[in-house]
Amino acid sequence: MRDQGTTSTDVRAAVLSAAVIGGVAGAALGAHRGRRGVGLGGLLGAVALAASEAVARARRPGEIPALWQRIATSAALVAPAGWAAGRLVGAGPITVGAATGGVGGLLGLRPQKVLLGPLFGAAVGTALAARGRPVPPAVAASITMAAYRSISPLVFRDPQVSLLAERVPAQQLPFVVPRQARSRRVGTGYVRELAEELGGHYVADAADVGIVASLDDLAGPDLDPAGVDPLVREFYEHTTRFTLDIVPRWRLWVRPGYLLYRTALARPLGQANVPMNQRETQRGILSRIDTITLPGAEAVAVRGWIRSFADTDEPIYVGIYTTYRDHDRGYVSVGFPLPQASFTATLLPRGRSDGGLTLTSRSAQDHPGHYLAYRDPTDGSLTALAVHGFAEELDVYRNEGELRAEHSFFLFGIPFLVLHYRITRRHPNPV
């Protein structure tokens, strides 16, 4: 979607940032020529990258800059790091190339890129080292990154992250839940804080409420609500009547990365802090739904499903559940608030032959998927990224008279986590 609110101030800020990046990179690239090389390199780098940024923005107003500009910027960003590696530890082209390729691979996210990056970088570094004249480490880093970023799109043609919209009205993105946290931590009190922001009536741990108001809102070509098992329907419409026991099954290859993510991000943020193993779930898990009703309205406007560890109330996740319709289909969108941003999973409902219900982002329809969004506090406009490399699927069904659920997650098409749920009734059916 085209930008409908980008201003000349935004463009000037982008060009100024490019000038700073180019100036620092140029100084690093010219450092081997002494002070004059530093000064001249800094000046040329600032002018060149700022000019290319201005051209890129002018050619594609309101959109992410063209690939050639992104390559130039990333090559400029690694030049100072290459200079520092050569200056501080005496790293040569091969070491610098492998390290730079590794960084490029990590930024590409998918496992194939992570593996290819260091190997490609080492090959480029070897070629540079074979030259008769020595290649400065800053130059080796920039050449490696530029080469890797140029080759990577030819090898990996499907983008894993793309700019979906920049500064558009929220109404244009009904599949995004733009609920973001105003502080650095989300936590279990988020819905209460949101109620204060919206001026709505807040109910903590609401009784007999579900994550959706009615399955009828989700009717479509893939789902006939009348064919859903009554117990499955009850779970969605009256979630608080049930308790959930969880058994997480992580793939071994993803555990080290998840532990790093959990320590550095999930726990400090108070969001998306999934248990690592069944032993952790034995601490006990609290589950509740907080609601907000807006002034003058009767229907619940916000349903926040909050799960936390029973012994400390440490958040596991805080999800804002919404439903909406587009043409003849209903969708479930779950927003996970983040500081000044939100992550949304929009899922397509499908009926199962056994009366169960599947919610999935793996669909050829336009709306299902995952989106990272920022809401401008001045005018409420949204800037959103589509995260194509992430997918999930939730199956809820009856098995031998009891409810079961399997929540599967995929990264670049590779399954990395399955959450197995045993769902049991908390209270008897209300009379």
Side-chain angles (χ1 to χ4, degrees), residues 26-235:
L29 292 170
H32 65 286
R33 297 184 181 275
R35 292 184 178 179
R36 185 175 180 181
V38 170
L40 183 59
L43 177 61
L44 293 176
V47 171
L49 199 62
S52 64
E53 181 73 17
V55 171
R57 294 280 175 174
R59 293 182 62 181
R60 300 175 62 173
E63 298 182 22
I64 192 170
L67 178 61
W68 55 266
Q69 175 61 14
R70 303 201 304 272
I71 292 175
T73 301
S74 59
L77 285 169
V78 298
W83 172 84
R87 182 82 172 179
L88 298 178
V89 299
I94 298 177
T95 302
V96 170
T100 303
V103 171
L106 287 172
L107 294 176
L109 297 178
R110 69 177 85 183
Q112 301 95 318
K113 286 190 174 183
V114 173
L115 294 174
L116 174 65
L119 298 176
F120 181 86
V124 173
T126 300
L128 294 175
R131 290 169 50 90
R133 299 174 59 184
V135 177
V139 176
S142 290
I143 290 176
T144 300
M145 182 59 77
Y148 177 78
R149 291 293 309 275
S150 299
I151 293 295
S152 182
L154 300 177
V155 178
F156 305 99
R157 294 182 176 273
D158 297 328
Q160 299 304 300
V161 179
S162 64
L163 181 66
L164 178 68
E166 187 174 18
R167 301 192 64 178
V168 301
Q171 295 82 353
Q172 291 191 19
L173 303 178
F175 44 85
V176 170
V177 182
R179 301 298 185 189
Q180 56 194 37
R182 292 184 293 176
S183 63
R184 294 184 178 181
R185 182 174 173 81
V186 180
T188 57
Y190 171 78
V191 180
R192 181 184 66 250
E193 297 168 359
L194 180 61
E196 295 173 358
E197 177 185 345
L198 299 176
H201 175 64
Y202 168 69
V203 177
D205 196 7
D208 200 27
V209 68
I211 53 178
V212 302
S214 172
L215 280 191
D216 294 336
D217 298 334
L218 304 180
D222 299 304
L223 175 65
D224 177 8
V228 175
D229 186 290
L231 191 59
V232 174
R233 181 171 190 140
E234 183 183 2
F235 168 73

Side-chain angles (χ1 to χ4, degrees), residues 129-130 156 162 220 253 261 276 338 378 384 395 399 403:
F156 305 99
S162 64
W253 63 269
Y261 153 82
M276 194 67 212
L338 301 171
T378 60
D395 283 301
N399 181 31
L403 276 182

